[in-house]
Amino acid sequence: MAVKTGRTMQILLDNSSGTTVDVSSYANKIDFGFPVDMLDTTTFGSSSKAFMPGFVGGDDIAIAFRYDPTIEAQLAGISPLTSTSSIIISPEGTTTANVKYIIESFLMDYKVTAAPEAIDEITATFRKTGAYTRTTWA
């Protein structure tokens, strides 16, 4: 079994010009998944629930960043956009043959959290739209 740590994670994100840039050095946590809607097909008279798969995706991607004016400016630049931004997530890094997910999304929200005894942070929440691509680095 190949066990991985987050040390190799690479996250690339569009800026306001639509250019994908590596934001990994600012990020310290990411939460994303690939859920499938389960549609209830239970009928009258059934004694057990029944389901079938529906749409895939459409969930949120949450990325936590250490506060830095550079990443804050990048998020501020894409937050008013009505077009999608690309996110490329590569859990094992960008070495040839490593897996990467290419996801189109909208930046829904970003928040700055600060406290006197803590490092300032930004949490950005993106909403996936459409299908994602799972491929490898060439």
Side-chain angles (χ1 to χ4, degrees):
M1 173 172 62
V3 178
K4 298 292 180 184
T5 68
R7 293 178 14 190
T8 58
M9 176 69 69
Q10 294 283 296
I11 304 167
L12 294 90
L13 175 63
D14 279 354
N15 62 19
S16 59
S17 302
T19 303
T20 306
V21 295
D22 189 344
V23 296
S24 305
S25 63
Y26 304 104
N28 66 342
K29 187 175 182 182
I30 185 168
D31 183 22
F32 67 103
F34 305 99
V36 176
D37 290 344
M38 296 307 294
L39 307 175
D40 191 336
T41 60
T42 310
T43 59
F44 293 119
S46 299
S47 59
S48 298
K49 288 220 163 244
F51 295 92
M52 67 178 281
F55 290 117
V56 175
D59 63 323
D60 297 341
I61 301 168
I63 306 174
F65 298 98
R66 297 292 189 204
Y67 184 89
D68 184 281
T70 302
I71 193 65
E72 194 281 330
Q74 183 170 348
L75 294 169
I78 63 174
S79 68
L81 299 180
T82 56
S83 57
T84 61
S85 295
S86 295
I87 300 175
I88 301 172
I89 302 169
S90 187
E92 299 176 276
T94 58
T95 304
T96 300
N98 284 347
V99 171
K100 67 178 173 178
Y101 301 97
I102 304 169
I103 301 164
E104 289 301 308
S105 64
F106 291 98
L107 176 59
M108 292 179 12
D109 179 38
Y110 78 96
K111 298 177 183 175
V112 176
T113 305
E117 71 283 356
I119 296 171
D120 296 350
E121 294 186 339
I122 300 172
T123 302
T125 306
F126 297 85
R127 173 70 48 93
K128 290 182 199 171
T129 184
Y132 71 92
T133 302
R134 183 186 185 279
T135 187
T136 58
W137 292 95

